[in-house]
Amino acid sequence: MKKIFFLIITFTMFSVACNKDFGDINVDTKRPSSVTPGTLFSFGAKEMIDVVTSPNVNRNIFRYLAQQWTETTYIDEVNYDISTRNIPQNFWNIMYVNVLNNIKECQKLIPSQNAAFFPPGVQANQDAICELCNVYVYSTLVNTFGNIPYSEALNIDKPQPKYDDAATIYTDLIERLNRAIGKINTAEGGFGPNDIVFGDDQAAWKRFGNSLKLRLGMMLADVDNAKAGAIVKDAAAGCVLTVDDNLYMHYLTSPPNTNQIWVDLVQSGRKDNVAANTLVDAMKALNDPRVPAYFTTDAAGGYSGGIYGEGNNYSTFSKPADRLLAPDFEATLFDASECHFFLAEAKERGYDVPGTAEEHYNAAITASMEYWGVAAADIATYLAQPSVAYATAAGDFKTKIGTQKWIAMYNRGHEAWTEYRRLDAPSLVAPPDADSVLPLRYTYPVQEQNLNTANVTSAISVDKVDVKLFWDKF
């Protein structure tokens, strides 16, 4: 009888459970099955900026490649060992999976938003902002690897995507960029509070687009001068031209949204980086007043860099300045210095942009020094030196502009490395015990070589770091 009663109770409870609505009890709030476009954008945009600003040796060694910093104890990366830590693969996966895939999903969901809260003008701005990020990421990948998956990338039906020609990708990126810039309406909103990059400032996104267009145009200067000139002329008026218009993402003072340099150098407690003698010695030779803004004093009270490519004592040499180590130190995406250097070069190449090469050269150096807090009198003294003045500095325009741009691109490793490769200035050499010459590109990830072998083979005949990219003609 007891068994029968127990079975009846059990059956009753099971029946009630099956018919009862438990509401959200089975919803995993930590693993949502659906997200908003704004959330996807925030995540993708932060990953995009984090990976290009991080000094973590597992994914970003561009400050080493530009010889701005060097290592202390572990010196594999400054000797161009990029395979042990699988650096190309880590950078590649973050860009494709964490950034491009999230931005793609964001764009798919934009039209599904409630039009009462996200009217057509807002949705158009959101889509345009996503496109600007897409162009930025794909151009960065091209400038790092060369030919990459593009037309078949992020396609679930194409697990082995083909590699598109880098120059062809550039052409399409510029077309996408033009459409996105033209679509942005500064009178409408965008991602609102989810725009962690520019705080929903559509004018800033438009400056971002034009500055990116200026960069892509100048990258083509040695490939198709006429085409580059037309692109640059169109972008010149809308790019960043004053320090007040510099484009940053501002980090916060508390984790997890802190400056990536703070994360890797302070929070981690590691002492792996010091200033590179290559940069410090070049700046000291020019009496550059930015030295104290870039670096701390060394053990002797002066400024010195560790020998690039060799083991260095951390306490002996200058380190990255305290300003860079603040948890809320901003990440620079585009600044007036970079844009004015491009325009100085554009004038030398005969492009139809306002001003003279000397005016833009001086404006570029001035903008960099103003950002780093150099006094006006010290800026004027620096510009007047025969070794710096545009009329008397050594070398052709590529050497003059390239050397000063390399100094000004401090802490922007990828841009500094890219401009060194394109302008061949200054003269950087590999350390004596390096695995290779100074890399001109990253090799393809191991996963691509193993899982997408045929397409990797078709992309490049020899997958080495000394293969020049399509825009690197000289």
Side-chain angles (χ1 to χ4, degrees):
M1 184 69 182
K2 289 181 180 179
K3 290 183 180 179
I4 295 173
F5 180 75
F6 176 78
L7 289 173
I8 292 172
I9 294 297
T10 302
F11 178 77
T12 303
M13 291 176 66
F14 178 77
S15 299
V16 171
C18 290
N19 289 285
K20 182 175 178 60
D21 181 6
F22 284 95
D24 295 333
I25 196 170
N26 291 320
V27 176
D28 187 345
T29 57
K30 296 186 182 297
R31 296 182 180 179
S33 58
S34 63
V35 292
T36 63
T39 304
L40 290 167
F41 171 76
S42 294
F43 178 80
K46 183 175 183 295
E47 287 287 299
M48 174 183 80
I49 296 167
D50 281 355
V51 74
V52 296
T53 58
S54 171
N56 188 305
V57 293
N58 293 294
R59 53 183 176 168
N60 181 338
I61 61 167
F62 301 124
R63 290 178 184 83
Y64 298 154
L65 299 185
Q67 299 191 8
Q68 298 176 344
W69 295 1
T70 191
E71 292 176 290
T72 54
T73 305
Y74 307 104
I75 58 173
D76 292 342
E77 290 72 37
V78 288
N79 282 288
Y80 311 140
D81 175 0
I82 65 174
S83 60
T84 299
R85 293 182 185 275
N86 224 346
I87 297 166
Q89 183 164 299
N90 296 331
F91 186 75
W92 176 286
N93 285 347
I94 291 170
M95 285 299 213
Y96 273 108
V97 179
N98 294 9
V99 184
L100 289 170
N101 192 55
N102 276 280
I103 297 296
K104 177 185 176 182
E105 292 304 309
C106 172
Q107 286 182 283
K108 284 170 58 177
L109 292 174
I110 286 172
S112 66
Q113 298 173 107
N114 188 330
F117 299 102
F118 301 96
V122 170
Q123 292 189 22
N125 278 349
Q126 290 177 341
D127 186 71
I129 291 168
C130 287
E131 277 294 87
L132 294 179
C133 292
N134 284 329
V135 174
Y136 178 88
V137 173
Y138 274 119
S139 63
T140 301
L141 285 167
V142 168
N143 293 343
T144 305
F145 294 95
N147 298 347
I148 56 169
Y150 179 68
S151 61
E152 293 182 356
L154 310 177
N155 186 340
I156 196 171
D157 296 323
K158 300 285 185 178
Q160 295 175 312
K162 70 175 183 178
Y163 280 55
D164 292 281
D165 172 70
T168 304
I169 294 172
Y170 248 62
T171 298
D172 191 61
L173 290 177
I174 291 167
E175 291 176 1
R176 290 173 69 173
L177 194 51
N178 284 333
R179 289 193 295 269
I181 294 169
K183 211 157 96 171
I184 292 178
N185 183 349
T186 56
E188 296 277 6
F191 283 108
N194 289 120
D195 182 357
I196 61 172
V197 184
F198 300 138
D200 210 32
D201 183 347
Q202 308 312 308
W205 279 110
K206 204 150 195 168
R207 285 198 306 278
F208 176 90
N210 278 299
S211 300
L212 180 55
K213 185 175 177 179
L214 177 67
R215 178 190 289 173
L216 298 191
M218 290 306 303
M219 296 299 293
L220 298 175
D222 287 332
V223 179
D224 187 335
N225 196 54
K227 181 178 181 179
I231 295 168
V232 168
K233 177 184 178 181
D234 194 41
C239 64
V240 177
L241 295 173
T242 68
V243 175
D244 288 342
D245 284 339
N246 284 358
L247 297 171
Y248 319 112
M249 186 183 83
H250 292 275
Y251 285 102
L252 304 180
T253 55
S254 301
N257 299 312
T258 43
N259 164 28
Q260 293 298 293
I261 305 172
W262 177 85
V263 170
D264 206 60
L265 272 61
V266 179
Q267 187 182 44
S268 71
R270 299 190 64 86
K271 298 181 178 181
D272 297 327
N273 297 285
V274 293
N277 67 314
T278 317
L279 179 57
V280 176
D281 291 351
M283 294 179 74
K284 288 169 65 176
L286 293 170
N287 303 305
D288 195 312
R290 286 168 291 188
V291 172
Y294 285 9
F295 304 110
T296 65
T297 54
D298 59 21
Y303 296 92
S304 62
I307 306 303
Y308 184 80
E310 297 184 10
N312 295 284
N313 185 289
Y314 180 82
S315 62
T316 301
F317 299 103
S318 297
K319 271 77 72 176
D322 291 343
R323 177 176 171 181
L324 280 71
L325 306 183
D328 57 347
F329 180 64
E330 65 274 5
T332 300
L333 293 168
F334 283 98
D335 64 11
S337 181
E338 179 182 7
C339 291
H340 277 295
F341 275 125
F342 278 136
L343 293 174
E345 182 186 348
K347 289 301 295 188
E348 288 285 9
R349 293 178 180 274
Y351 300 168
D352 184 12
V353 296
T356 67
E358 182 176 9
E359 288 169 347
H360 286 298
Y361 172 88
N362 289 341
I365 295 172
T366 299
S368 171
M369 292 193 171
E370 287 178 347
Y371 170 73
W372 289 102
V374 177
D378 292 333
I379 298 174
T381 299
Y382 182 77
L383 290 173
Q385 294 182 109
S387 57
V388 174
Y390 197 70
T392 54
D396 60 10
F397 76 87
K398 285 188 174 183
T399 301
K400 296 177 185 183
I401 293 170
T403 300
Q404 288 294 331
K405 193 170 191 177
W406 170 67
I407 296 172
M409 292 294 103
Y410 176 63
N411 196 44
R412 298 181 61 198
H414 194 276
E415 285 75 32
W417 175 54
T418 298
E419 289 301 288
Y420 156 75
R421 291 177 290 159
R422 189 177 67 85
L423 294 172
D424 298 307
S427 179
L428 302 179
V429 295
D433 297 325
D435 288 2
S436 68
V437 299
L438 199 156
L440 302 178
R441 60 181 290 273
Y442 271 4
T443 51
Y444 291 122
V446 173
Q447 68 189 20
E448 285 293 296
Q449 297 172 18
N450 291 338
L451 302 177
N452 198 9
T453 309
N455 286 313
V456 169
T457 302
S458 68
I460 194 168
S461 56
V462 180
D463 187 18
K464 291 186 176 181
V465 297
D466 62 353
V467 177
K468 289 187 173 184
L469 302 187
F470 81 99
W471 42 255
D472 188 3
K473 289 294 187 181
F474 303 107

